[in-house]
Amino acid sequence: LRDDKSLESVLDVITGLGEKRKKALLKKFGTVEAIKAASVEALTTIPSMNRVISERVLLQLKELSEEEE
């Protein structure tokens, strides 16, 4: 449970990513790490995800992981 909360909190700070998209991403990819490793094209296979939001998700996840280092 603790891991799910921490993963969700990382996704909470991404601009334009609401509950529906977060749930869809986690359902398809399982973890934030898997989302981070995915391509823009893979993210856009989710019906609610377009190219712009997919690029934003990957960019912001990358920036967040760089801040943690």
Side-chain angles (χ1 to χ4, degrees), residues 30-64:
T31 67
V32 172
E33 290 302 316
I35 295 168
K36 237 190 284 191
S39 66
V40 170
E41 290 74 21
L43 297 184
T44 60
T45 63
I46 297 171
S48 64
M49 298 289 291
N50 60 39
R51 184 164 191 88
V52 172
I53 190 69
S54 297
E55 289 172 348
R56 184 180 303 142
V57 166
L58 293 177
L59 178 66
Q60 290 185 351
L61 285 176
K62 181 181 176 190
E63 289 172 352
L64 288 168

